[in-house]
């Protein structure tokens, strides 16, 4: 989907669109040192979100040929504002190499298949113990997705250019995960039933 098509599709939903937004560098690690572009903002089921893509230059000089090898990585990020600060927790799909070398500080969920395909990391093991039993059934319904609780937001990250169908899917995923967090956890974190976040927090508003 080209840029104009994304802008048109976003505006049909009543969402805003910006070709670039450097302010996102202050909120998302994927945007640091990059150009946050094709930025879509709006509301999904009463919650603010922001979606954007970045392109990182990975070019390097081949030591054998002394020629520059050009390579870029495109990422799409979708962040849903959950209305309250959450302890950090990150779920990362695991490949064979990461399973061999990336097991440090991994929190097991108790589901062998999920733990084989994903790594859960957090400096808050008690928080993980509180939320994982509720959200694990939701996670098992989706293919492995890289996501995290980051400040007030649930942030998903994927490769490839930003598409409207990906925004729709990741908002559905983030909403399902948030809905599966036990109400007692939300109460401890200080979110009331009517607190849906605001447009100026974590870059997710209009």
């Amino acid at each position: 989907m080209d840029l104009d098509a994304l802008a048109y599709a976003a505006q049909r939903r009543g969402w805003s669109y910006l070709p670039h937004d450097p302010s996102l560098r202050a909120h998302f690690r994927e945007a640091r040192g990059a150009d946050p572009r094709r930025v879509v903002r709006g509301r999904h089921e009463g919650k603010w979100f922001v979606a954007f893509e970045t392109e990182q230059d990975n070019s390097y000089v081949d030591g054998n040929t002394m020629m520059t090898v050009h390579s870029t990585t495109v990422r799409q990020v979708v962040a849903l504002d959950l209305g309250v600060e959450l302890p950090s927790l990150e779920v990362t799909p695991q490949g064979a190499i990461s399973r061999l070398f990336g097991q440090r500080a991994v929190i097991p969920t108790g589901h062998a298949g999920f733990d084989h395909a994903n790594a859960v990391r957090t400096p808050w093991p008690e928080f993980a113990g509180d939320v994982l039993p509720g959200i694990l059934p939701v996670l098992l319904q989706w293919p492995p997705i890289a996501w995290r609780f980051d400040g007030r937001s649930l942030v998903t990250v994927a490769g490839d250019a930003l598409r409207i169908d990906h925004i729709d899917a990741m908002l559905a995923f983030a909403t399902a995960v948030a809905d599966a967090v036990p109400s007692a956890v939300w109460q401890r974190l200080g979110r009331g039933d009517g607190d849906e976040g605001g447009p100026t927090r974590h870059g997710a508003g209009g």
Side-chain angles (χ1 to χ4, degrees):
M1 177 176 289
D2 61 27
L3 183 147
D4 289 340
L6 176 64
Y8 181 81
Q11 291 163 3
R12 283 189 78 247
R13 289 164 164 79
W15 301 341
S16 68
Y17 174 88
L18 287 174
H20 306 273
D21 188 352
S23 71
L24 293 173
R25 295 171 185 154
H27 300 287
F28 300 97
R29 67 192 191 204
E30 292 81 10
R32 294 169 192 157
D35 176 23
R37 65 192 187 190
R38 308 180 75 206
V39 181
V40 176
R41 283 187 173 89
R43 288 174 74 91
H44 174 77
E45 297 188 7
K47 297 180 176 65
W48 291 99
F49 77 88
V50 62
F52 62 95
E53 71 176 39
T54 63
E55 181 174 334
Q56 182 177 0
D57 183 5
N58 302 318
S59 301
Y60 64 95
V61 176
D62 187 303
N64 295 320
T65 64
M66 301 307 294
M67 297 181 64
T68 300
V69 178
H70 295 282
S71 174
T72 59
T73 300
V74 177
R75 292 187 177 90
Q76 49 183 310
V77 179
V78 179
L80 183 67
D81 190 322
L82 301 180
V84 68
E85 295 279 337
L86 293 99
S88 60
L89 182 145
E90 184 164 7
V91 177
T92 309
Q94 296 285 86
I97 293 177
S98 56
R99 281 195 294 271
L100 285 173
F101 298 102
Q103 291 299 313
R104 183 179 179 184
V106 171
I107 305 294
T109 67
H111 188 285
F114 182 87
D115 290 342
H116 180 76
N118 302 271
V120 180
R121 294 182 173 87
T122 176
W124 299 75
E126 291 184 350
F127 175 68
D130 288 340
V131 300
L132 286 174
I135 67 176
L136 184 59
V138 173
L139 302 181
L140 293 173
Q141 297 175 26
W142 292 76
I145 294 172
W147 68 275
R148 66 183 183 270
F149 290 129
D150 188 349
R152 291 169 57 105
S153 293
L154 192 156
V155 181
T156 66
V157 183
D160 210 351
L162 186 63
R163 307 185 312 271
I164 201 73
D165 60 321
H166 180 84
I167 295 175
D168 290 337
M170 292 302 96
L171 290 175
F173 169 79
T175 300
V177 171
D179 288 347
V181 173
S183 59
V185 173
W186 289 122
Q187 291 169 5
R188 282 195 290 271
L189 293 173
R191 191 182 86 171
D193 292 339
D195 188 354
E196 301 293 356
T200 62
R201 301 298 184 91
H202 210 64

